[in-house]
Every structure is written in structure tokens, then in C-alpha cells.
Amino acid sequence: MATCTHLDQIDLDVEPSGSGCVECLAEGGRWVHLRRCLTCGHVGCCDSSPGLHASAHAGATQHPVIQSAEPGEDWCYCYPDDVMFEVR
């Protein structure tokens, strides 16, 4: 079973950078779903969105783990380890 090897970089209490995708809001773009970086709190749009800003943020900063910012969803995803998981 695959595991996330970046748990030491997760801060579940990090404040989200806003209520929408930072880049989409600045560009006047749109998103499908939102993801929060669990290292710095950056809120970006998902890979189904035109901007793919959450993935771009992870690639640019090397921040490995995101969490769904959608209501009722608690799952996390680690980019380098390509694994989804929940933190309880």
C-alpha cells in the first residue's frame, strides 16, 4: 500500500489564502473545485479547472500535499507520492 512520506510538511491549521482560487480571482478566471495547500494555505483550482493552479503551485513551491477545500470533503493528496488519504 502506498503511503505519503511528506506528513511532516502538513499543517492542518494553516489558514486558507482566501475563499477562491487566488490566481483565477486575479485573472478573472473560473474554477471547478478548490484545493488548499497544507504547507502554506494557498487556495488553487483543481486539475479539472482550466487554470490547474493547485498543481502549478505545488510544482513551483515543492509543497507536496493538498486538501480538498470543498464542503464535506476531507481527503488529501500527496503529489510526489501520488497517493490520496484522509487525516483524522
Side-chain angles (χ1 to χ4, degrees), residues 15 21 25 42 79:
E15 289 293 320
C21 174
L25 289 170
H42 174 272
Y79 285 103

Side-chain angles (χ1 to χ4, degrees), residues 10-72:
I10 292 175
D11 179 358
L12 293 174
D13 296 321
V14 68
E15 289 293 320
S17 60
S19 59
C21 174
V22 173
E23 293 83 2
C24 286
L25 289 170
E27 300 166 355
R30 62 178 185 80
W31 59 83
V32 177
H33 299 289
L34 297 172
R35 310 294 181 234
R36 175 178 63 131
C37 173
L38 289 182
T39 300
C40 71
H42 174 272
V43 175
C45 58
C46 70
D47 287 354
S48 296
S49 301
L52 296 95
H53 293 120
S55 292
H57 172 78
T61 62
Q62 301 304 301
H63 293 170
V65 182
I66 58 168
Q67 183 177 37
S68 174
E70 295 299 311

